[in-house]
Amino acid sequence: MIGLVVNVLLFVAVCAFAVRVDKLGRARSAPLPPPGTLGLMELAYLAGGPGRAADVALLAARGRGAVGIDGNGRVTMLRQDGGDAVAADTADAVRIGGAAADVASVRAVLAAKPSVRAPRDRLFALGFLNPAARNPLLRPVRVALTVVPIIAIAGLFLESYAGSPSDDTALWVTNLVVVLLGTAACIGAAMLLFSSYNKLRGPLTENAVRHLWSQVRDEQGLAALAAAVPGGAGLGTVALAGPASVPDPGISGAFGRAAQATSASIVSDGWTEHQWTANANAQGVLGGPSYLDLHRQASAPAPHSGFGVPQHNPYVDGSPVWQNAPGVPGDAPGGHDGGGGDPV
């Protein structure tokens, strides 16, 4: 009897725990907000993680004239930058590097600063960051859903715990049914929690990717978003597509080399920069046409002239038919008079 009661309590507790964890994950998802909801730093964090946000912060400081960046990637402090918390952290990261400060070292320090990591919480609240893949309760619930059925099944063979079938067959069979049903419930809860989560390849939800593409197509809104940040003019595209979009090839090359040098050290919620950007570019490289756009272009019918008549293209269709017909060369069939015979 004791074994039956303990098994019931164990299975009820572990399934209730699994349901609670699932609800906690789902509670963070939200409807897709309109474009312009995010600030420049939040958009950069969403598209490339804390490393991209650090890049935008450093380039904004350069745009304000607070720091200088040369083609070799060296970063120098030009003047005191007493702006917001991000500006103060950027200046602090440059000072930490001292005379040897370069883009790689500054972005690594800056990416760990609280002001640069701050957008993460709002992105979670908006349902843009995966609420389940890095849920700290997933590991405990996975262990519980595995261990409890093993304990219950093992207990069936301990006479002091579950009794013997020959002593009280009805009670033992009842205990067996509870164990089987409880094990099935644990398997179902595990499938509910982990079947879809195991397929995840990155930190972004579908809403996040759709929002990023809505920003790509809203060029005016993107420009206004960047202009709202001191020194941020032109950085909207950088926030979405990365520093490779900077017009100055020396600066874009310096940031590209820095990203390679720090790719393994800048991690957010278990994801590296490469995994983050790969997830953001899942529908095509941000800043260019998406795979859906390319499919629509390929599926669009060929342009026609008026009245639904296809336009003749001599490079594709060859010479017009009437050039080989009787009549004056180059005229419509039958020449000027429309007749088909030789001129008289």
Side-chain angles (χ1 to χ4, degrees):
M1 185 67 179
I2 295 177
L4 176 62
V5 173
V6 171
N7 285 342
V8 170
L9 292 177
L10 282 175
F11 283 120
V12 170
V14 73
C15 289
F17 181 39
V19 171
R20 177 174 173 270
V21 171
D22 183 65
K23 287 183 177 180
L24 286 175
R26 294 176 186 275
R28 293 185 180 182
S29 51
L32 181 65
T37 300
L38 303 181
L40 182 64
M41 290 292 291
E42 292 170 331
L43 185 64
Y45 198 107
L46 184 65
R52 179 72 56 77
D55 291 338
V56 169
L58 186 54
L59 286 169
R62 175 178 177 264
R64 293 190 298 271
V67 301
I69 305 174
D70 61 23
N72 294 324
R74 293 181 61 84
V75 182
T76 54
M77 200 72 195
L78 300 180
R79 64 175 180 82
Q80 186 65 29
D81 195 4
D84 56 9
V86 175
D89 284 342
T90 303
D92 185 56
V94 176
R95 281 193 294 268
I96 289 174
D102 59 6
V103 175
S105 62
V106 171
R107 82 189 297 266
V109 173
L110 189 54
K113 294 286 187 180
S115 63
V116 174
R117 296 267 178 168
R120 171 185 177 276
D121 294 335
R122 183 157 187 255
L123 294 175
F124 264 113
L126 289 171
F128 283 158
L129 298 188
N130 192 321
R134 299 297 169 183
N135 189 331
L137 294 177
L138 281 183
R139 185 181 295 274
V141 78
R142 185 194 294 267
V143 173
L145 290 172
T146 304
V147 170
V148 167
I150 293 175
I151 293 175
I153 293 171
L156 289 173
F157 301 96
L158 298 176
E159 291 190 10
S160 59
Y161 176 78
S164 172
S166 59
D167 295 337
D168 193 340
T169 303
L171 180 61
W172 193 88
V173 170
T174 303
N175 199 2
L176 175 63
V177 172
V178 168
V179 171
L180 293 177
L181 292 177
T183 301
C186 287
I187 293 174
M191 293 178 64
L192 174 68
L193 282 170
F194 303 109
S195 60
S196 59
Y197 299 159
N198 287 338
K199 299 176 183 178
L200 297 172
R201 295 294 182 268
L204 306 184
T205 62
E206 292 182 3
N207 270 1
V209 177
R210 287 200 297 269
H211 186 82
L212 287 173
W213 277 103
S214 69
Q215 291 282 183
V216 169
R217 298 182 177 98
D218 183 15
E219 296 182 2
Q220 292 183 349
L222 195 62
L225 196 67
V229 176
L235 294 184
T237 304
V238 175
L240 283 172
S245 58
V246 175
D248 188 331
I251 300 299
S252 62
F255 274 87
R257 293 189 296 273
Q260 291 179 352
T262 59
S263 60
S265 59
I266 299 179
V267 180
S268 177
D269 292 292
W271 284 288
T272 64
E273 286 187 82
H274 175 73
Q275 291 172 312
W276 201 292
T277 55
N279 189 193
N281 294 328
Q283 293 185 5
V285 179
L286 290 174
S290 68
Y291 298 145
L292 181 59
D293 295 331
L294 295 175
H295 175 72
R296 286 171 176 167
Q297 292 174 11
S299 303
H304 289 71
S305 60
F307 306 102
V309 179
Q311 219 170 8
H312 180 268
N313 186 342
Y315 297 100
V316 176
D317 302 326
S319 301
V321 175
W322 57 80
Q323 288 188 0
N324 300 320
V328 179
D331 289 341
H336 293 287
D337 58 1
D342 294 330
V344 294

